[in-house]
Amino acid sequence: MPQTLFEITSPQLEFNRLPLIVRQKSSKLSTFLLVFMVLPAMVAVIIPFSLMAAQAANEPALTQALWDKPISAVQILIGLSLWAMIFLIPVNKLLARLGRERIIRIQAGKVHVTDKHLFYRKKWISPLSSFRGVAHHVRTTHSGSRQELILVHSDKRCSILLHSADIVSQDLVEKAARLLSLQQIPSRDLYFSLQWGPGNRQPTNSAALVASPIA
């Protein structure tokens, strides 16, 4: 998932020993800004449906005309559905961020990730050897810039934020690489990571993925 969704809430890691445990939560600023993006989208979706419902209620002849011309009715329905899909995308992103938490635990050659969403919990486990390395990345956000240490996977959706600060020293990057027995890789590799494909299959068996509702 995009790393900008998360802020690290656990004590900053020193990368002296395993296990490594990182606790993260949704970025408050990103969620707050997205709320203001979503409100106009929700209004844009609701207004045309409300106007059509009100018109149909006040003019039964309009409803009858739509029944008499089903093709026209289908075209109108398709148009409204497409309109709704365009504006509901930000709403979907907002719901994905609300109540989002992540716990990462690295030990015994495996990476354990637990994602808590608003309505369900998802867990996955991947061998540490399946990650390509660690990257020192500078990210620009709405509130400024921050430096990050990313555990990079061949599928960028599986890359993991390990550490963030105003400044991430080269010494810390080297300590993390040694502790995890991984190489240091350029930050540009974050933008050229592969998606699922031959030899790069979604975690199953060796990397279990479990989703369950939150009680």
Side-chain angles (χ1 to χ4, degrees):
M1 95 176 298
Q3 306 303 327
T4 50
L5 290 183
F6 289 123
E7 295 174 341
I8 294 178
T9 59
S10 60
Q12 299 294 337
L13 300 177
E14 296 296 332
F15 298 98
N16 293 321
R17 62 182 182 274
L18 296 175
L20 294 179
I21 301 175
V22 183
R23 291 181 172 86
Q24 303 170 342
K25 64 179 181 179
S26 298
S27 169
K28 292 181 179 178
L29 179 60
S30 297
T31 303
F32 182 75
L33 291 174
L34 191 56
V35 167
F36 280 92
M37 293 173 57
V38 165
L39 289 177
M42 294 180 66
V43 172
V45 171
I46 293 172
I47 286 178
F49 283 97
S50 300
L51 291 175
M52 175 167 283
Q55 189 75 7
N58 295 328
E59 298 184 19
L62 176 60
T63 304
Q64 185 60 44
L66 291 176
W67 280 110
D68 293 339
K69 298 180 179 180
I71 295 179
S72 298
V74 170
Q75 290 175 338
I76 293 173
L77 181 60
I78 291 175
L80 289 174
S81 298
L82 292 175
W83 177 263
M85 287 175 61
I86 291 172
F87 288 98
L88 286 176
I89 290 175
V91 177
N92 183 57
K93 289 183 177 181
L94 174 62
L95 292 177
R97 295 188 183 192
L98 290 176
R100 190 74 181 261
E101 296 181 15
R102 167 173 283 186
I103 300 175
I104 301 160
R105 185 180 184 92
I106 303 176
Q107 64 178 10
K110 293 184 178 180
V111 178
H112 303 251
V113 179
T114 300
D115 281 324
K116 296 180 180 180
H117 298 253
L118 193 60
F119 302 112
Y120 69 94
R121 177 180 301 169
K122 181 172 63 177
K123 298 181 180 180
W124 57 274
I125 304 171
S126 183
L128 186 56
S129 59
S130 67
F131 290 83
R132 300 173 57 194
V134 294
H136 180 195
H137 179 244
V138 178
R139 183 184 299 277
T140 301
T141 66
H142 301 291
S143 57
S145 63
R146 73 178 187 184
Q147 297 187 19
E148 302 173 335
L149 186 61
I150 306 292
L151 183 58
V152 183
H153 196 277
S154 295
D155 183 333
K156 61 184 179 182
R157 293 171 295 180
C158 295
S159 294
I160 295 171
L161 173 65
L162 292 178
H163 176 83
S164 67
D166 292 336
I167 297 177
V168 176
S169 67
Q170 180 59 28
D171 179 63
L172 188 67
V173 178
E174 293 173 356
K175 287 176 65 176
R178 285 196 300 269
L179 180 65
L180 301 176
S181 299
L182 295 172
Q183 63 179 339
Q184 298 179 51
I185 61 176
S187 61
R188 65 175 179 270
D189 285 13
L190 290 168
Y191 303 98
F192 294 97
S193 298
L194 302 175
Q195 299 298 323
W196 304 132
N200 183 27
R201 301 169 61 187
Q202 185 171 4
T204 55
N205 298 327
S206 61
L209 181 64
V210 179
S212 58
I214 293 180

